[in-house]
Amino acid sequence: MVTASRPLRADAARNRDKLLVAATELFAERGLDVPLEHIARRAEVSIGTLYKHFPTRDDFVAQIFPQRLAALDVIGDRALAEPDPWQAFAGYLDDLYALQAEDRGLNDVLARDLPNAPEVVSACHRGAGHAGTLIDRALAAGVLRADYSIADLATLTRAMAQVIRDSPGEWRRFLSIYVEGLRA
Amino acid sequence: MVTASRPLRADAARNRDKLLVAATELFAERGLDVPLEHIARRAEVSIGTLYKHFPTRDDFVAQIFPQRLAALDVIGDRALAEPDPWQAFAGYLDDLYALQAEDRGLNDVLARDLPNAPEVVSACHRGAGHAGTLIDRALAAGVLRADYSIADLATLTRAMAQVIRDSPGEWRRFLSIYVEGLRA
DNA sequence: GGTTAAGTCGAGGGTGCCCTCGAATTCTGT
DNA sequence: ACAGAATTCGAGGGCACCCTCGACTTAACC
């Protein structure tokens, strides 16, 4: 999988790291659309060097977000371990959006059309898998409105992304109202 | 109020109209951020002429949206005429977002920080007034969750704007779930 | 018809972002 | 130390949008 061509030269490895750090920070602070020039500047590296290491924005995304998205598995597993199906589902939503609220980049990744990064896509699919299971369990237990589906959750996620952007202090309240409407 | 300076020359009046028509169409189709050059092109007028008549984007907004926002009064009055407080409130939301779904420009106007156009601002205030009354009535009747406020409705509106943009076919379903969570 | 104020036009300058490429630099192995 | 390969740099071209301004055109009034 990892095509180990010649290892990077020392200075190159250092620059690559600085770029990754800068990109991670800026994505989290300002979202996925931060200008690449800003990333280069924060990394104290020229724009040309940036393009050498990461020819496209998606190359950054592919390097940065798989780790971030691992958190999805963590909250997914936690929810699956919760015995009460309703608690599991509602808690999962809470955890999910707390995650999004902490990281504008993550918020963007989950809310918009997926970036062209296979690892990111598969992490999202895994997340959707967890969510699907939680929904099914809640449906089986009869605690969730009977017509709820994963597609509704996708819609909710985009809506929540917007609420988080506009009024970071109010997403929890908004979510709790919506969730109230979900009970069977 | 209307400073009736010299009337416009015939050709100027014609161009002004063409610009207004083009802007109305394009705002509705593509939202408030459509490039001004596109408006000029559709109006078959040069960019310089556009700036002569409408020095800023807000000048367009100020001319176009007060009419559009009159619809807010219509649905507001309709809702106030409805005797059942819950029906009135829920129906109002439905009508409001149906309006937004029909016109991307309106969707933008209602969802983002208000444009610098006094007439638009006051129309929105009037709308908020109606909504406030409907909320109060529903609260008084005990059919709406007791802590609901106009601020929640503002949050909802931004969320709905996003849902409408992303998946125009699903806003009604999303809204109905949220509204379900609102009942007392 | 001639005068002139009003209106029109569009090239062009400014900004912010994207991305490329050749010259200059620096690491690495011998 | 040196050669050669790898890496860095940043000026600069491209694009999309914003907005201005002076030369040209035209409607309006006598």
Side-chain angles (χ1 to χ4, degrees), chain A residues 41-59:
Chain A
R41 206 173 311 142
R42 181 165 306 189
E44 297 174 292
V45 139
S46 91
I47 185 65
T49 299
L50 180 149
Y51 275 97
K52 175 102 209 287
H53 289 290
F54 302 96
T56 74
R57 186 180 297 269
D58 275 343
D59 290 319

Side-chain angles (χ1 to χ4, degrees), chain A residues 50-126:
Chain A
L50 180 149
Y51 275 97
K52 175 102 209 287
H53 289 290
F54 302 96
T56 74
R57 186 180 297 269
D58 275 343
D59 290 319
F60 278 111
V61 172
Q63 288 305 308
I64 290 173
F65 285 96
Q67 302 176 35
R68 277 272 180 293
L69 290 169
L72 283 187
D73 293 329
V74 173
I75 66 172
D77 290 341
R78 174 138 59 109
L80 290 171
E82 160 71 45
D84 177 55
W86 174 258
Q87 256 316 308
F89 176 68
Y92 180 76
L93 292 185
D94 228 76
D95 289 346
L96 172 58
Y97 300 119
L99 228 51
Q100 284 185 216
E102 271 166 18
D103 185 328
R104 267 214 63 186
L106 193 61
N107 197 36
D108 288 353
V109 167
L110 293 174
R112 49 175 83 172
D113 298 329
L114 292 177
N116 289 331
E119 305 236 354
V120 172
V121 173
S122 75
C124 291
H125 281 358
R126 271 201 319 282

Side-chain angles (χ1 to χ4, degrees), chain B residues 85 132-146:
Chain B
T133 306
L134 292 165
I135 289 176
D136 289 344
R137 290 208 330 203
L139 287 175
V143 291
L144 179 60
R145 71 181 266 168

